[in-house]
Amino acid sequence: MKKLGAIFAALGTLLSSPAAAENDRSTIVTGVVSPLGPSASQAGQKAPWIGAVTLVAWRSGDGPVEVSPLRIEHSLDDGADTQKSWMQLFQPRTVVRFRISGTVGTKGLLPFATFAEYLGTADDSELVKAADPILNPPDFVDADLGRFVADLRLPELFNGTATWLGEPVDLVLSTRTRDDLPDCAATAKQLLKDAPRWQAEAEKTIIENLYELWVEEWRPKGTPILSKKAFADRLTKPAITIYEGGEFEMEFGDGDLFGGHWIMVPGSLAEGIEDAGLAG
């Protein structure tokens, strides 16, 4: 209880006097926190810190349940304690209740609201029922590719495995809606069927984009220069993510050529391999 009290005490700095004065024109929102939980970030070194959290199912006041993702934002100060308090308020997959300034509006195409005051966790069986298929979607099974299981933190990702040039690799189907999963599966089958071609095209682009970078900037001092073939042979087989519309991304391990950075290679069935660059 002391720890919880400290969190609410720190939250007092999140609710400014002007915000408190707005309570008469505020709305109470109840919702289920997304598996990712809250975030605290800034767009640039001099930009303000913004706390954010997304609700996967929610209601405004005593209104009906909504399942369009609702993004909540709140301005934070630079203090680590304030940011930590924000992060502790919204535990993933829990039902919470809080006050927003005014009413729910939109930003872009999605519902949006500005946080005003945290009111605690809540019991709402209707919300929990509505959120369950979003948070815990059933497995997707393809007759040829096998079973794909929804990721616990990102339920729109369905994780599976495949064989790529004789080796097992991770295969992920990434969709905005479950209806797109068959389309992703069809793309995966085409990619796997032509694995030698796509592997060769990916390696060619990696060499074009990154070989000279390794020679000039990443090669340890005194280390012999690898041939381009030896350079490509150091790469691991890719983890593959499939998107709707025939798009995909291949993620190669760098074989310790670039200090453990991943090599990301995006492409599509229509356009081929598009680029190759370092990540992570």
Side-chain angles (χ1 to χ4, degrees), residues 142-165:
D142 180 87
D144 299 311
L145 299 176
R147 184 176 299 276
F148 293 81
V149 180
D151 190 273
L152 289 177
R153 284 177 53 81
L154 296 169
E156 66 272 20
L157 301 183
F158 285 78
N159 300 318
T161 59
T163 299
W164 183 265
L165 300 179

Side-chain angles (χ1 to χ4, degrees), residues 93-106:
R93 298 173 176 262
T94 60
V95 183
V96 294
R97 179 174 287 125
F98 52 91
R99 198 181 302 276
I100 62 172
S101 298
T103 59
V104 174
T106 59

Side-chain angles (χ1 to χ4, degrees), residues 18-257:
E22 287 289 318
N23 279 351
D24 290 340
R25 293 175 294 186
S26 66
T27 304
I28 293 177
V29 168
T30 308
V32 181
V33 178
S34 81
L36 286 177
S39 65
S41 61
Q42 56 181 161
Q45 192 171 13
K46 296 183 179 181
W49 281 87
I50 300 295
V53 66
T54 297
L55 307 180
V56 298
W58 55 279
R59 69 168 86 239
S60 180
D62 295 323
V65 171
E66 305 281 353
V67 291
S68 295
L70 171 59
R71 180 175 173 86
I72 305 295
E73 289 187 1
H74 185 67
S75 296
L76 304 175
D77 61 34
D78 294 335
D81 289 341
T82 300
Q83 295 163 22
K84 181 179 179 181
S85 296
W86 171 263
M87 297 296 291
Q88 291 176 328
L89 289 180
F90 301 98
Q91 296 301 307
R93 298 173 176 262
T94 60
V95 183
V96 294
R97 179 174 287 125
F98 52 91
R99 198 181 302 276
I100 62 172
S101 298
T103 59
V104 174
T106 59
K107 178 179 281 190
L109 299 176
L110 296 177
F112 174 86
T114 301
F115 174 87
E117 180 185 10
Y118 183 74
L119 301 176
T121 56
D123 292 321
D124 192 316
S125 59
E126 191 176 2
L127 277 175
V128 171
K129 182 178 179 180
D132 183 66
I134 300 172
L135 298 176
N136 306 295
D139 296 350
F140 172 71
V141 179
D142 180 87
D144 299 311
L145 299 176
R147 184 176 299 276
F148 293 81
V149 180
D151 190 273
L152 289 177
R153 284 177 53 81
L154 296 169
E156 66 272 20
L157 301 183
F158 285 78
N159 300 318
T161 59
T163 299
W164 183 265
L165 300 179
E167 295 185 22
V169 296
D170 292 332
L171 178 62
V172 178
L173 309 182
S174 177
T175 71
R176 286 175 290 184
T177 69
R178 190 175 182 86
D179 292 341
D180 291 326
L181 285 170
D183 177 67
C184 290
T187 297
K189 293 175 193 178
Q190 285 293 324
L191 201 68
L192 293 168
K193 180 181 178 181
D194 296 329
R197 168 202 163 191
W198 292 109
Q199 179 77 20
E201 287 192 18
E203 290 180 358
K204 179 176 180 291
T205 305
I206 291 171
I207 290 170
E208 289 174 350
N209 289 12
L210 300 176
Y211 178 73
E212 292 298 331
L213 177 67
W214 173 76
V215 171
E216 296 175 3
E217 299 186 22
W218 286 89
R219 179 171 56 93
K221 188 175 181 179
T223 301
I225 296 177
L226 297 174
S227 68
K228 291 181 179 180
K229 182 181 184 305
F231 175 88
D233 287 344
R234 290 277 291 271
L235 306 176
T236 68
K237 292 298 185 289
I240 303 169
T241 301
I242 307 292
Y243 305 96
E244 63 266 23
E247 297 184 353
F248 59 85
E249 191 168 57
M250 305 167 74
E251 182 177 304
F252 290 82
D254 75 331
D256 204 31
L257 293 167

